Amino acid sequence: MTVTNTADKRAVFRKLHEAGCFVLPNPFDIGTAKMLQHLGFNAIASTSAGFAWSIGKADTKVELDEVLAHLKSLSAAVDIPVNADFEGGFADAPEGVAANVTRAVATGVAGLSIEDSTGDKDDPLYERALAIARIRAARQAIDATGADVLLTGRCEAFLWGKPDLKLVTDRLTAYAEAGADCLYAPGIKTIEEITAVVKAVAPKPVNLLIGASGLSLGQATELGVRRISVGGSLARMAWAGFIRAAKEMAEQGTFTELANGYPGGELNRIFG
C-alpha cells in the first residue's frame, strides 16, 4: 500500500509494527529508494553509511544539514514510509538531541532511531543515565511536534566490541521505558541473543540487522522479531559491482564486467 500524505505514511509505518515481521531495506539515494518501492517493499530506512559513501564521505562523517536534506528528498521521492537512521542525534546533550530530532521530524520521516554510541573507541557508549536521557529527550521532542513519528532506541554495544547481552537488554528495557517505540541492538546474531532481546522488551517490537549470513525472514518471524533491516549492505553490493568493473578497466584495459549491468531500458521503464 502506498500513500502520499505524511500523516498517513506515519500511520502505516506504526501499523506495520503491530504484528508479524517485515523487511525494512536501506536505500542510499532517490533512485534506490524508488526502486525499493517499485519492488513492493512497504517501507524503507535510510542508511548513514550508504548515504555517506554516496557523497564521498566515511560513515559518521556526514553533517547534520546534509542528512536532513537527504531525509527530506527520500521522503518526498516515495509514497511509502521512510525511517531515518539518525545516528546519535548529532549531539551529545539531550537538549541538542531534542533540537535535532525536531528538525528531523520536519523532513517528513515516519520514524527515526537514536544510538547510544559516542564514536570514541576508548569509551564507546554514553553513560547509562545520559543515554536514557537522550532517548527521553527525543521522545519529548517528537511529542511536542504532534507528529506520530516512531522512535527506535538503539544499543550499539555489540558493534563496539562490548558483546554483553545483560548490558544490552538492560539498556533497551530502559530505552523502552523512556519512550522508544521500537528497540534495536545491531550486532546480535544468535538465536539465544535475539530471543533474549525480544523477551526483554516485549511487547514492544524489535528491529534485527541481518547480513549475508543471517537468518531468513521466516526464521526471524518465528523468533518474534518485528522488522529486519540490512544497514549498508545494499550500498556495499552496489559498490562491489561498480568497483569490479572499474578495476577491470583500470588494471586490464578490458570491459567484460560491463555485460553484467542491469538493462538501461528496463531502468528507464521503471523510473519513467
Side-chain angles (χ1 to χ4, degrees):
M1 175 184 176
T2 59
V3 292
T4 55
N5 179 278
T6 299
D8 288 346
K9 288 181 184 179
R10 290 167 173 166
V12 166
F13 193 54
R14 188 168 291 275
K15 185 78 173 176
L16 285 170
H17 292 75
E18 292 180 358
C21 186
F22 68 100
V23 179
L24 185 68
N26 306 86
F28 46 90
D29 61 11
I30 290 175
T32 50
K34 288 188 172 185
M35 179 60 74
L36 290 170
Q37 175 177 304
H38 169 76
L39 292 172
F41 290 98
N42 293 317
I44 55 176
S46 68
T47 158
S48 62
F51 173 57
W53 302 330
S54 76
I55 60 171
K57 292 190 174 186
D59 191 17
T60 75
K61 301 301 182 183
V62 181
E63 300 294 328
L64 172 60
D65 286 345
E66 293 174 312
V67 172
L68 293 171
H70 175 59
L71 295 175
K72 185 175 182 179
S73 67
L74 287 184
S75 297
V78 296
D79 300 326
I80 54 177
V82 174
N83 186 78
D85 176 350
F86 206 53
E87 302 185 42
F90 299 88
D92 295 318
E95 297 79 10
V97 172
N100 294 338
V101 164
T102 300
R103 295 181 68 188
V105 170
T107 66
V109 295
L112 61 87
S113 60
I114 296 293
E115 306 171 4
D116 60 6
S117 57
T118 64
D120 179 358
K121 68 180 186 305
D122 296 321
D123 188 20
L125 301 180
Y126 286 106
E127 185 269 326
R128 184 181 185 276
L130 176 56
I132 295 168
R134 286 160 43 82
I135 294 294
R136 185 176 295 113
R139 173 80 273 156
Q140 292 171 346
I142 292 170
D143 292 347
T145 69
D148 186 24
V149 171
L150 191 135
L151 174 63
T152 296
R154 294 176 49 150
C155 180
E156 307 290 292
F158 271 63
L159 292 188
W160 284 88
K162 288 181 172 290
D164 183 338
L165 190 58
K166 183 177 180 181
L167 179 152
V168 168
T169 55
D170 171 69
R171 285 196 173 219
L172 291 183
T173 301
Y175 299 164
E177 293 172 353
D181 301 297
C182 180
L183 292 310
Y184 185 12
I188 62 171
K189 294 179 180 179
T190 69
I191 290 175
E192 292 74 23
E193 291 165 350
I194 297 165
T195 300
V197 167
V198 169
K199 181 179 179 180
V201 304
K204 291 199 174 183
V206 168
N207 184 101
L208 179 65
L209 177 67
I210 291 185
S213 60
L215 303 172
S216 68
L217 172 61
Q219 290 170 319
T221 303
E222 290 178 0
L223 294 176
V225 172
R226 285 288 169 80
R227 80 183 196 199
I228 295 168
S229 54
V230 296
S233 293
L234 286 174
R236 290 189 292 103
M237 287 296 298
W239 278 105
F242 176 89
I243 292 171
R244 252 194 326 269
K247 286 183 72 173
E248 181 195 1
M249 290 188 287
E251 297 172 2
Q252 302 175 38
T254 56
F255 306 87
T256 58
E257 278 291 339
L258 299 181
N260 297 318
Y262 201 80
E266 179 67 6
L267 290 172
N268 285 334
R269 185 190 68 78
I270 291 169
F271 293 134

